[in-house]
């Protein structure tokens, strides 16, 4: 039996705008499958006529395209859907002079609970996050000068939130025609893990311009239902001024007990491939089994190998060797309940390199 994704999306005018130029995409059982959901937010670019129309055009195009086409990988289909929406806006701009600047930004994803993956298309300064084990991981990069400075650490979150040029974006849908040659360079297209217990969050900048990450975490970590959490996030943005339209989309799912072995294996793979995100994994460490002793021997061998090489390097003034392929191959041989041993291996190798 497939896992069912639970999701909810809501958009709000805010406290200071006369028109809501935000919109969203939301198909709860894409292709008739409860384990697959299409979800995301769209923000019409303000200050120009046609922002709301661009957002509505994007919503209808993406939803209709993906509900009518199913053959291909999820990321390929999503890419084509967003590209089609972009070109629809571009053509509308070209044939209607009064809509010459109409455009929008979007962060949209196909979520697959059975594959434990999400497939994301992003352009502009709307955002996508994954809330995992009490941490909020930003998975999209803002297409704005201020956003890039925040992502690189040049500006703090607080400084970026109050920067006078925060909303000057460098990419948006409809600005240029996209084809097979340039769509993969203009759009951000990627896959990301989506594990049981994660909460996927997509939102317009009406939320993140006012509500900081610690406040978002406090709401997502609460005991309220998913629907209530969406409403609480919007209410928080309005309490802080509601200066823009606010759109929030949340999605999550829970694995059955019989799925836990697969979950452990997936968590190990994600951690090895993305070691910087190790602290974000929600995995219970199970009791050690007999097969773990095989991993202990492998761990001792690899650590000893590195120590020997590094000692030789000091004597002969050689460059340290690359981390052996065995370190990365080991993820395929680790038992699903050997996460603690894998962490020990990574920490030991890091320490050896730092000390030498």
């Amino acid at each position: 039996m497939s896992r069912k994704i639970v999701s909810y999306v809501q958009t709000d005018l805010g406290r200071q705008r006369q028109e809501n130029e935000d919109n969203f995409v939301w198909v709860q059982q894409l292709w008739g499958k409860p384990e697959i959901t299409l979800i995301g937010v769209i923000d019409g670019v303000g200050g120009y006529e046609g922002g709301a129309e661009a957002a509505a055009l994007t919503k209808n195009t993406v939803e209709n395209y993906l509900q009518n086409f199913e053959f291909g990988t999820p990321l390929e289909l999503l890419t084509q859907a967003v590209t089609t929406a972009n070109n629809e806006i571009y053509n509308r701009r070209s044939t209607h002079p009064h809509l010459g600047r109409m455009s929008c930004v979007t962060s949209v994803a196909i979520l697959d609970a059975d594959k434990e993956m999400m497939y994301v298309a992003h352009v502009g300064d709307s955002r996508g996050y994954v809330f995992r084990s009490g941490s909020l991981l930003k998975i999209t990069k803002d297409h704005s000068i201020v956003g890039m400075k925040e992502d690189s650490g040049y500006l703090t979150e607080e400084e970026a939130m109050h920067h006078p040029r925060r909303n000057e974006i460098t990419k948006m849908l409809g600005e240029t025609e996209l084809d097979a040659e340039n769509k993969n360079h203009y759009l951000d297209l990627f896959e990301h893990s989506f594990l049981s217990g994660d909460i996927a969050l997509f939102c317009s900048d009406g939320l993140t311009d006012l509500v900081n990450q610690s406040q978002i975490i406090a709401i997502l970590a609460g005991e309220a239902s998913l629907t209530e959490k969406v409403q609480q996030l919007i209410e928080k943005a309005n309490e802080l001024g509601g200066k823009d339209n606010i759109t929030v989309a949340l999605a999550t799912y829970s694995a059955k007990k019989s799925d836990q072995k697969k979950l452990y294996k997936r968590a190990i793979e994600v951690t090895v491939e993305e070691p910087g995100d190790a602290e974000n994994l929600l995995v219970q460490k199970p009791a050690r089994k007999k097969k773990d002793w095989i991993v202990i021997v492998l761990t001792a061998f690899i650590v000893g190998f590195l120590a020997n090489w590094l000692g030789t390097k000091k004597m002969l003034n050689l460059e340290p060797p690359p981390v052996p392929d065995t370190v990365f191959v080991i993820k395929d041989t680790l038992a699903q309940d050997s996460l603690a041993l894998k962490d020990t291996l990574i920490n030991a190798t890091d320490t050896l390199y730092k000390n030498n």
Side-chain angles (χ1 to χ4, degrees), residues 293-308:
W293 296 109
I294 299 174
V295 180
I296 293 174
V297 174
L298 281 174
T299 301
F301 172 78
I302 295 169
V303 173
F305 170 82
L306 290 174
N308 184 54

Side-chain angles (χ1 to χ4, degrees), residues 101-121:
R101 301 296 295 275
M102 70 179 290
S103 54
C104 64
V105 299
T106 188
S107 294
V108 58
I110 295 175
L111 310 178
D112 190 326
D114 277 0
K115 289 186 171 61
E116 298 178 333
M117 294 294 294
M118 65 171 68
Y119 308 90
V120 184

Side-chain angles (χ1 to χ4, degrees), residues 10 15 48 79 102 104 124 165 231 241 267 274 302 326-327 356:
Q10 184 174 326
R15 297 286 177 82
Y48 307 119
T79 300
M102 70 179 290
C104 64
R165 302 182 64 184
Q231 295 167 345
E274 307 172 37
I302 295 169
T326 316
V327 173
N356 290 273

Side-chain angles (χ1 to χ4, degrees), residues 25 38-42 54 57-66 74-90 104-110 119-124 143 172-179 183-184 186-189:
V25 295
L38 171 67
I39 196 168
V41 300
I42 311 163
L57 183 58
T58 298
K59 171 187 174 64
N60 294 333
T61 302
V62 171
E63 289 182 349
N64 290 336
Y65 187 97
L66 288 171
L75 192 58
E76 288 171 346
L77 291 169
L78 183 61
T79 300
Q80 193 57 43
V82 175
T83 299
T84 301
N86 175 88
N87 292 343
E88 289 283 347
I89 299 171
Y90 180 82
C104 64
V105 299
T106 188
S107 294
V108 58
I110 295 175
Y119 308 90
V120 184
H122 166 79
V123 60
H143 294 148
M172 61 200 84
L173 292 184
E175 187 178 37
T176 185
E177 189 170 21
L178 298 179
D179 54 30
K183 65 184 179 183
N184 292 330
Y186 192 80
L187 304 173
D188 285 353
L189 306 163

